[in-house]
Amino acid sequence: MSAWSKGSSNLSYTSFLLVGFPGLQETRALLVLPFLSLYLMIVSANALVIHTVVAQRSLHQPMYLLIALLLAVNICAATAVVPPMLFSFSTRFNRISLARCLVQMFCIYFLIVFDCNILLVMALDRYVAICNPLRYPEIVTGRLLAGLVGVAVVRSTGIVAPVVGLASRVHFCRSDEIHHFACEHMALMRLSCGDISLNKTVGLTVRIFNRVLDMLLLGVSYCRIIYAAFRISSGRARSKALNTCGSHLLVIFTVYSSTMSSSIVYRVARTASQDVHNLLSAFYLLLPCLVNPIIYGARTKEIRQHLGILFQRAKLQVSAEKPQSLPSHRELPA
């Protein structure tokens, strides 16, 4: 039975059933293994690069610390999405209270926005490193880095809090079934029985303003960075600067293209089934979490070298622990 609350002569559900992929009612359990495997791959890949950055003192520099922070956010984002999704595939554990639903919504959107804000901080770091290399150590200090991350946290909270706050004031009386694997904003708003035009307007305005402003700042920053990189006289230094910028731009392209493609398909392909929309949501939430550590692990020379050393040590340790084979009868002493 669903919980109801009564106020202002309106009834409202206070708990909901998460019905991820409603068109696959009988076979949803078969989705557990692929999504669990994907989650373990995401956690392992990101944790491996984070461990490499933390363990190597030579990588305790702003750029690598920001990469480690970005990958830690990837793990948190995947953890906010996948475990609740796996529980939603079971009819015994797919009920969620309104309070937990709003907390999950806040966490997912906060981590998405925070991820983009870290990319802005990384762009600023590369701008100073390439455009003003002689003053980089005295400009980009630990205090400045902590301050910028703090600003990113405050900005992310300020962007997400109004959307979640308005959602908490809505009455939900149409149904207690959320046709999504997580408490996604529009999936929850479909259950409302009042006027939600303000919620839609605020949500869309915040999303467009945030995306356009971020892409504008990133575009201007990297145009100036690439221009400055081409003016470097040393070929090796120029190649290193462009390679580093290429890694960041690949990550930015992955994050923003997956988000924008999901939004476009959501609004254009209205005839597509709910399962298709849910799959696209999972795609745009989890793809960057999987691809980012691969990009930074493969394209960042210092991280790649330390990963190679780590794998070599692990290989030698495994081979050393193998039991020595017994001598054959021909090798036995007479």
Side-chain angles (χ1 to χ4, degrees):
M1 294 292 293
S2 301
W4 290 75
S5 67
K6 189 172 182 180
S8 304
S9 71
N10 287 325
L11 294 174
S12 180
Y13 287 104
T14 57
S15 68
F16 304 93
L17 291 171
L18 286 174
V19 187
F21 304 99
L24 305 173
Q25 291 283 355
E26 303 299 326
T27 56
R28 276 186 298 175
L30 298 177
L31 297 174
V32 172
L33 185 59
F35 277 109
L36 179 60
S37 301
L38 179 61
Y39 175 66
L40 294 176
M41 288 173 59
I42 288 171
V43 173
S44 301
N46 285 278
L48 183 62
V49 178
I50 293 171
H51 169 74
T52 304
V53 173
V54 172
Q56 302 298 327
R57 294 186 64 85
S58 61
L59 298 180
H60 291 183
Q61 300 174 30
M63 185 183 79
Y64 304 113
L65 294 176
L66 287 172
I67 289 174
L69 178 60
L70 183 73
L71 301 187
V73 171
N74 287 345
I75 293 177
C76 293
T79 302
V81 172
V82 179
M85 179 199 297
L86 298 179
F87 280 115
S88 75
F89 293 155
S90 168
T91 55
R92 294 180 58 188
F93 303 104
N94 63 340
R95 183 164 290 280
I96 186 171
S97 66
L98 177 59
R100 282 178 56 206
C101 184
L102 293 173
V103 168
Q104 187 192 46
M105 183 192 299
F106 177 85
C107 289
I108 291 173
Y109 289 143
F110 171 83
L111 291 168
I112 291 172
V113 177
F114 188 47
D115 187 89
C116 297
N117 285 331
I118 294 173
L119 293 175
L120 285 172
V121 177
M122 294 170 81
L124 178 62
D125 171 73
R126 288 300 86 199
Y127 176 79
V128 177
I130 294 174
C131 297
N132 202 348
L134 297 179
R135 296 192 60 202
Y136 176 76
E138 62 179 274
I139 294 175
V140 183
T141 61
R143 175 177 288 187
L144 176 67
L145 210 60
L148 290 173
V149 171
V151 170
V153 170
V154 173
R155 182 173 184 258
S156 303
T157 304
I159 289 171
V160 176
V163 177
V164 178
L166 287 172
S168 67
R169 300 171 59 185
V170 175
H171 288 279
F172 305 100
C173 58
R174 289 190 179 183
S175 173
D176 67 338
E177 290 189 357
I178 301 175
H179 288 172
H180 209 280
F181 54 79
C183 284
E184 196 264 341
H185 182 254
M186 287 312 300
L188 183 63
M189 290 301 102
R190 289 195 193 98
L191 310 182
S192 65
C193 49
D195 182 18
I196 58 168
S197 56
L198 178 61
N199 299 66
K200 290 182 176 180
T201 303
V202 170
L204 188 61
T205 303
V206 165
R207 189 166 190 172
I208 292 175
F209 176 77
N210 181 50
R211 286 286 179 263
V212 170
L213 179 62
D214 286 0
M215 292 178 70
L216 184 63
L217 290 173
L218 288 169
V220 171
S221 298
Y222 278 102
C223 282
R224 298 198 63 177
I225 289 169
I226 293 171
Y227 175 74
F230 275 112
R231 295 182 64 187
I232 298 174
S233 57
S234 171
R236 180 178 294 181
R238 181 171 61 250
S239 176
K240 182 179 178 181
L242 291 173
N243 183 69
T244 303
C245 291
S247 300
H248 292 325
L249 288 172
L250 275 174
V251 170
I252 291 168
F253 175 78
T254 303
V255 171
Y256 282 92
S257 63
S258 59
T259 304
M260 292 180 66
S261 61
S262 175
S263 301
I264 292 170
V265 173
Y266 182 84
R267 284 167 173 78
V268 173
R270 295 187 179 275
T271 57
S273 68
Q274 185 62 44
D275 292 338
V276 172
H277 287 299
N278 289 354
L279 189 63
L280 287 171
S281 295
F283 170 78
Y284 101 77
L285 286 169
L286 300 177
L287 180 66
C289 301
L290 180 64
V291 172
N292 290 353
I294 297 173
I295 292 173
Y296 284 123
R299 288 184 55 87
T300 308
K301 181 182 177 181
E302 292 79 6
I303 294 177
R304 185 175 68 247
Q305 287 175 343
H306 287 295
L307 283 173
I309 295 170
L310 189 66
F311 284 128
Q312 271 189 335
R313 287 176 181 172
K315 188 177 179 181
L316 288 173
Q317 188 175 359
V318 170
S319 61
E321 290 176 355
K322 284 183 179 180
Q324 296 295 326
S325 58
L326 293 173
S328 63
H329 69 279
R330 293 182 180 179
E331 298 171 344
L332 289 173

